[in-house]
Amino acid sequence: MPAEDDFTVTPYAVEGDVDYDRLLEQFGADALTDDQRAAFPDPVHPLVRREVFYAGRDVDAFLDAANAGETHSVVTGRGPSGPMHVGHVFPFYFAKYLQDRTGALVYVPVSDDEKYLLKDESVGAISDHARENLLDILAVGFDPERTRIVVDTADADVVYPLAVTFAKDVTQATVNATYGDPVNVGLSFYPAVQAAHLLLPQLVEGRHPTLVPVAVDQDPHVRVCRDVAAKRRYDVDKPGALLSKFLPSLDGPGKMSSSADAPGILLSDDREAVFEKVRTRAYSGGRSSVEAHRRRGGNPDVDVSYLLLYYFFEESDERVERLAREYREGSLLSGELKEIAAETVADFLEAHQERRASLGPLEAELPKFRLAEAERRNARRRAGFPDDSLAQQ
């Protein structure tokens, strides 16, 4: 970011008070229009209609295909660096919404290799995180006939050949300009792996519009991949992007974290843990006393309890508007708003946890979502590997 910016947004670091409009200028993305929001399947998801997903690239092509019943796909992945929190899971629930409403194909890359390169953890620890994360992803309830989950180290027979092919179109200068100086050679190569993730649906199914719903800090991966696709050496379209704001940290508006200094609400948290975190850690937009709050009202725009409801956990627009109005008027107190938010989040987590508990062992559940051998052959062939290549031996 330029020196005058007082925030940093990269795939590996988010710091400061993020100016989302200025990010669009820096990244060259476009704000979603009212017409684009209205073109999402009915009912339009709260994340779209409330402008949490606020910008994108080539969104129209995806929406046109979805509304016409033509082939279209969604790619949204997970880097298994630890337990998942609620900020990690909302893109998966959004992808399920698209799959349910439009029949979208959903591809879920799990980048265990990237997280090993980034984190001071063993391969075994990252693998354990991946197993737990996969169960949470499966608990979302995707259709196995229209969903493929790809784990980089387990699916290296398809990911690596594609990445090597795309790496030829990514220079080190591009990597440095987009990400900064990588801390190791593995991260220099990783943008090519990300390109393999984002182009995989087209390499399996044939050319079609793809949408990547991600938090805005992940947009650099999409930009590099779009540059690769633009080389036209491959029969693919540039992947589109749908960029979201960050679900707020409990410590205040910003990116939710699972680190100790800014705890997130984990998908494994029970009701008691949710209430404790929201009551004691959720930043309040209220006044310093009940009397002052009754007289002057609070600010829901910075109140984390309200933002949790607004961003994802409350379906009803009427209810979130009423809560904001009452909070500004002072008739709704901060403590009362925290109780409402904690109850709503806890209900969501209990339903998620029940679905996860109903799953069988990962070894029994995951095979239904893995690439079939014919799909692997299609991907390698469309990337230029002949049908008799050693990758298939």
Side-chain angles (χ1 to χ4, degrees):
M1 307 294 293
E4 65 266 21
D5 285 331
D6 54 2
F7 61 90
T8 299
V9 176
T10 76
Y12 306 130
V14 177
E15 300 172 354
D17 187 9
V18 177
D19 184 326
Y20 289 104
D21 291 333
R22 203 188 313 171
L23 267 185
L24 295 190
E25 297 175 10
Q26 296 296 329
F27 288 178
D30 298 316
L32 287 186
T33 66
D34 290 342
D35 287 343
Q36 287 173 322
R37 282 189 285 273
F40 277 84
D42 189 38
V44 177
H45 198 282
L47 289 168
V48 174
R49 65 178 189 259
R50 295 177 190 161
E51 301 184 29
V52 179
F53 280 116
Y54 79 113
R57 305 172 187 278
D58 289 343
V59 174
D60 290 335
F62 174 86
L63 292 172
D64 289 346
N67 290 323
E70 299 169 353
T71 301
H72 58 291
S73 62
V74 178
V75 182
T76 188
R78 169 67 183 146
S81 58
M84 291 177 69
H85 58 60
V86 294
H88 294 137
V89 82
F90 79 75
F92 294 107
Y93 278 95
F94 179 75
K96 184 181 186 309
Y97 148 81
L98 290 173
Q99 186 174 77
D100 290 345
R101 298 298 193 280
T102 72
L105 302 169
V106 174
Y107 276 64
V108 180
V110 178
S111 51
D112 54 344
D113 50 349
E114 181 198 30
K115 291 308 174 185
Y116 172 70
L117 294 168
L118 275 171
K119 301 293 182 178
D120 186 20
E121 293 196 52
S122 68
V123 172
I126 296 295
S127 179
D128 289 343
H129 295 323
R131 293 178 62 85
E132 292 300 314
N133 291 180
L134 283 165
L135 289 170
D136 277 317
I137 292 168
L138 293 174
V140 172
F142 291 112
D143 176 3
E145 296 298 319
R146 306 190 68 78
T147 308
R148 292 294 177 263
I149 298 174
V150 177
V151 181
D152 284 352
T153 57
D155 293 295
D157 64 311
V158 63
V159 173
Y160 184 71
L162 302 185
V164 168
T165 302
F166 300 144
K168 200 167 186 178
D169 292 314
V170 181
T171 68
Q172 188 63 47
T174 295
V175 173
N176 292 347
T178 306
Y179 301 93
D181 293 334
V183 298
N184 56 54
V185 70
L187 290 177
S188 291
F189 181 72
Y190 197 73
V193 178
Q194 280 285 14
H197 293 162
L198 303 187
L199 296 177
L200 184 58
Q202 295 187 70
L203 296 173
V204 171
E205 302 288 341
R207 193 171 187 168
H208 66 263
T210 297
L211 189 68
V212 185
V214 287
V216 68
D217 61 325
Q218 299 302 303
D219 183 58
H221 294 315
V222 182
R223 298 203 309 270
V224 172
C225 180
R226 286 168 60 84
D227 288 345
V228 170
K231 302 293 184 183
R232 296 299 182 191
R233 295 201 294 114
Y234 320 101
D235 188 22
V236 295
D237 289 330
K238 294 180 181 180
L242 190 63
L243 306 177
S244 82
K245 300 173 183 177
F246 300 121
L247 195 66
S249 162
L250 290 177
D251 285 347
K255 185 178 182 181
M256 180 165 280
S257 171
S258 52
S259 63
D261 58 336
I265 299 173
L266 302 180
L267 298 186
S268 57
D269 281 345
D270 60 20
R271 184 170 291 269
E272 181 180 356
V274 172
F275 272 83
E276 191 276 334
K277 286 182 178 181
V278 172
R279 285 169 176 164
T280 63
R281 293 301 301 270
Y283 182 84
S284 171
R287 303 295 176 178
S288 58
S289 69
V290 170
E291 179 183 5
H293 188 92
R294 295 289 193 201
R295 185 175 67 255
R296 300 169 59 194
N299 182 3
D301 296 336
V302 299
D303 190 289
V304 168
S305 296
Y306 176 77
L307 292 175
L308 287 170
L309 295 168
Y310 182 86
Y311 275 35
F312 182 69
F313 290 100
E314 176 52 57
E315 171 69 27
S316 169
D317 290 343
E318 181 181 359
R319 190 180 191 213
V320 294
E321 289 167 5
R322 176 175 55 81
L323 291 173
R325 182 178 64 254
E326 293 176 352
Y327 200 59
R328 288 191 178 97
E329 293 170 349
S331 59
L332 179 66
L333 299 175
S334 295
E336 293 169 335
L337 184 56
K338 286 187 176 188
E339 295 299 298
I340 293 169
E343 184 77 23
T344 306
V345 174
D347 288 347
F348 170 87
L349 290 183
E350 284 189 350
H352 178 89
Q353 291 161 8
E354 287 175 5
R355 288 191 297 274
R356 174 173 165 153
S358 70
L359 296 171
L362 185 62
E363 290 75 11
E365 298 286 351
L366 188 59
K368 294 178 285 188
F369 295 87
R370 298 196 66 189
L371 290 166
E373 186 51 47
E375 294 169 330
R376 296 168 188 268
R377 285 198 302 270
N378 284 346
R380 291 188 293 249
R381 176 171 52 80
R382 288 192 172 107
F385 285 82
D387 288 341
D388 61 351
S389 69
L390 291 175
Q392 299 184 49
Q393 303 303 310

